[in-house]
């Protein structure tokens, strides 16, 4: 397996790492993560197609691009891969062609041949697609040992339109699945939030999909404001500092849900993922050092699953973390780099939702406010 990394900026390519002298004509897969303005330009796609004429090209808009150990904006971070004995197959669907996001996820996985399928990497529209339902649909048809990871496209901090595309100009509403096939593939994953829980564990008593109304039969918004104290006056912006941890059942580890908006009229909160009735929740708060340490732990968990260091690590972190960490954002990428070392190429993006199992090779889940890492290697 050979990998190379380049950056598309100001309508030009900058070659970052190509220590194995990958011939770009031999690239089988190209992943590009970039700003909405850039990835939705025909000129950008044409430039990539000219650079990698024989590759499957998957593009996804972002809320920030990860390129080596830096976080950038208004660029396209590109990684190219060529495999020795492994292969890939990719498929694209439009969520508008289905009754709901569950059916879209179901169809997405079934579009890929299942024989010797080891991993599916998913890039989804981050605005029109219900990520929770997409994940449920994919889990409903996947084989037990199949690893599914990925993320929801971003649009900076505008939250207007996100773009995804396979072998053509990215569009709104698209979902891509890239299947990785081969016995010599070495794959691993890690996903950690690093948030600090506080207060009692409570039960969701009234909700609909991703809209929360009541916790312990009390108005959820009032309860949330009580916990926020002085930060309540700064809602909805301050909600990024206080996400919710959720446990869907007693045997499951917690996942994090970001608050997207509040509605004073209906006294409700809308989250970036479903909040089912009966689930257990706790309030959480940000601790900068713990967020950065969590990125280190996610990388360490990946490394523990592998016999050797990965050739490439795909990092998908949450836009909320980028906003909160602000000028310290590079530190979470540097924390990952400290674990993998210079031989592992780092790429990825800041997203509107991360997809990864909680435990090794279990069903995938939709996460918010986490650093999620997918490692890819091919053994000799």
């Amino acid at each position: 397996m050979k990998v190379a990394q380049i950056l598309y900026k100001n309508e030009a390519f900058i070659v970052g790492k190509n220590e194995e002298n990958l011939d770009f004509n031999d690239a089988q897969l190209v992943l590009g993560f970039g700003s909405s303005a850039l990835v939705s330009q025909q000129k950008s796609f044409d430039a990539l197609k000219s650079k990698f004429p024989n590759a499957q090209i998957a593009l996804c808009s972002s809320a920030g691009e990860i390129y080596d150990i830096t976080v950038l904006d208004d660029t396209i971070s590109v990684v190219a891969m060529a495999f020795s004995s492994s292969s890939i197959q990719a498929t694209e669907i439009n969520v508008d062609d289905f009754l709901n996001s569950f059916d879209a996820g179901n169809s997405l996985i079934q579009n890929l041949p299942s024989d010797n399928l080891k991993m599916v990497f998913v890039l989804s529209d981050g605005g029109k697609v219900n990520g929770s339902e997409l994940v449920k649909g994919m889990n409903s048809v996947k084989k037990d040992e199949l690893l599914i990871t990925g993320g929801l496209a971003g649009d900076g901090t505008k939250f207007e339109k996100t773009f995804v595309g396979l072998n053509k100009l990215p569009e709104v509403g698209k979902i891509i699945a890239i299947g990785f096939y081969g016995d010599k593939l070495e794959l691993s994953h890690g996903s950690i939030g690093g948030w600090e829980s506080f207060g009692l564990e409570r039960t969701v008593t009234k909700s609909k999909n991703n809209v929360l109304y009541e916790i312990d039969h009390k108005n959820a918004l009032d309860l949330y404001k009580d916990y926020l104290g002085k930060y309540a006056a700064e809602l909805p912006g301050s909600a990024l500092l206080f996400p919710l941890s959720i446990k869907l059942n007693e045997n499951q580890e917690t996942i994090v849900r970001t608050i997207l908006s509040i509605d004073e009229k209906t006294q409700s909160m809308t989250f970036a993922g479903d909040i089912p009735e009966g689930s257990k929740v706790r309030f959480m708060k940000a601790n900068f050092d713990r967020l950065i340490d969590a990125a280190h732990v996610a990388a360490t968990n990946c490394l523990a699953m592998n016999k050797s260091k990965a050739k490439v690590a795909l990092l998908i972190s949450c836009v909320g973390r980028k906003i909160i960490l602000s000028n310290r954002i590079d530190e979470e990428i540097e924390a990952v780099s400290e674990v993998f070392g210079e031989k592992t190429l780092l790429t990825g993006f800041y997203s509107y939702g991360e997809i990864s199992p909680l435990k090794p090779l279990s069903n995938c889940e939709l996460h918010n406010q986490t650093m999620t890492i997918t490692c890819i290697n091919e053994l000799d």
Side-chain angles (χ1 to χ4, degrees):
M1 177 182 180
K2 291 184 177 182
V3 297
Q5 183 173 46
I6 63 175
L7 185 71
Y8 184 73
K9 182 179 182 181
N10 298 327
E11 299 184 4
F13 288 108
I14 302 168
V15 178
K17 289 184 177 180
N18 190 8
E19 297 175 358
E20 298 172 303
N21 296 314
L22 170 63
D23 185 334
F24 291 168
N25 290 312
D26 295 334
Q28 295 163 264
L29 175 63
V30 169
L31 301 176
F33 313 109
S35 67
S36 293
L38 271 183
V39 299
S40 61
Q41 280 184 12
Q42 188 68 48
K43 185 182 293 184
S44 302
F45 177 77
D46 291 344
L48 283 165
K49 185 62 180 175
S50 177
K51 189 69 126 176
F52 303 99
N54 301 310
Q56 299 254 34
I57 300 175
L59 293 174
C60 172
S61 65
S62 77
E65 301 84 61
I66 297 169
Y67 177 75
D68 195 20
I69 59 171
T70 60
V71 179
L72 304 170
D73 293 294
D74 303 316
T75 66
I76 303 178
S77 179
V78 180
V79 60
M81 307 179 207
F83 300 94
S84 299
S85 59
S86 306
S87 63
I88 62 160
Q89 293 200 44
T91 184
E92 179 188 77
I93 60 173
N94 191 326
V95 69
D96 291 336
D97 294 334
F98 298 88
L99 184 63
N100 51 48
S101 296
F102 180 94
D103 290 348
N106 187 297
S107 177
L108 190 71
I109 299 303
Q110 293 193 87
N111 282 354
L112 294 170
S114 60
D115 288 348
N116 215 22
L117 177 60
K118 304 299 183 184
M119 182 180 80
V120 177
F121 184 70
V122 177
L123 296 172
S124 169
D125 175 282
K128 299 182 73 173
V129 174
N130 181 321
S132 295
E133 290 300 306
L134 175 71
V135 162
K136 289 178 184 176
M138 294 191 296
N139 284 334
S140 71
V141 291
K142 84 174 191 70
K143 292 183 177 180
D144 289 342
E145 68 276 12
L146 178 63
L147 172 62
I148 301 178
T149 65
L152 308 186
D155 181 29
T157 55
K158 293 182 290 185
F159 296 91
E160 293 174 358
K161 292 182 179 181
T162 65
F163 300 88
V164 174
L166 176 66
N167 299 323
K168 60 183 178 183
L169 190 66
E171 299 174 5
V172 173
K174 295 299 180 71
I175 311 171
I176 293 172
I178 303 166
F180 290 76
Y181 298 79
D183 292 328
K184 293 192 175 182
L185 285 169
E186 188 174 57
L187 308 164
S188 60
H189 63 88
S191 184
I192 302 289
W195 296 83
E196 187 176 339
S197 297
F198 67 99
L200 298 174
E201 184 178 78
R202 299 174 180 272
T203 303
V204 174
T205 48
K206 184 179 179 181
S207 65
K208 184 177 181 181
N209 298 325
N210 64 332
V211 181
L212 175 63
Y213 295 96
E214 292 182 3
I215 299 174
D216 287 347
H217 301 287
K218 298 176 182 177
N219 181 278
L221 184 55
D222 284 344
L223 191 62
Y224 187 67
K225 287 179 177 178
D226 286 344
Y227 270 91
L228 261 60
K230 65 179 181 179
Y231 292 100
E234 300 172 22
L235 285 170
S238 59
L240 284 172
L241 297 170
F242 299 93
L244 210 63
S245 75
I246 177 171
K247 187 185 292 184
L248 301 178
N249 57 63
E250 290 297 330
N251 298 322
Q252 187 186 47
E253 294 184 33
T254 59
I255 53 180
V256 184
R257 285 286 179 262
T258 300
I259 299 169
L260 295 179
S261 63
I262 62 172
D263 189 329
E264 295 285 358
K265 186 177 180 179
T266 61
Q267 288 290 287
S268 65
M269 298 184 288
T270 300
F271 289 79
D274 289 351
I275 310 286
E277 291 183 359
S279 57
K280 303 294 184 180
V281 295
R282 290 183 70 187
F283 296 111
M284 309 183 86
K285 59 184 177 180
N287 179 307
F288 285 15
D289 290 332
R290 284 190 63 176
L291 293 180
I292 294 166
D293 289 344
H296 188 280
V297 173
T300 302
N301 289 347
C302 279
L303 203 60
M305 295 175 66
N306 286 351
K307 297 177 182 177
S308 57
K309 288 197 175 181
K311 283 289 184 74
V312 60
L314 305 175
L315 279 54
I316 302 179
S317 190
C318 182
V319 60
R321 296 170 71 92
K322 184 169 182 274
I323 293 170
I324 291 164
L325 289 171
S326 188
N327 59 1
R328 294 187 63 184
I329 192 61
D330 285 352
E331 292 184 39
E332 78 165 355
I333 312 303
E334 291 166 0
V336 173
S337 180
E338 286 176 3
V339 175
F340 289 128
E342 295 182 358
K343 295 297 184 181
T344 299
L345 188 152
L346 304 183
T347 188
F349 70 104
Y350 283 80
S351 75
Y352 287 176
E354 305 80 57
I355 298 171
S356 177
L358 284 166
K359 297 179 180 179
L361 302 181
S362 61
N363 279 350
C364 63
E365 302 287 350
L366 176 71
H367 305 268
N368 303 131
Q369 301 283 26
T370 63
M371 166 61 81
T372 292
I373 304 173
T374 305
C375 288
I376 303 172
N377 195 19
E378 188 180 39
L379 300 175
D380 296 332

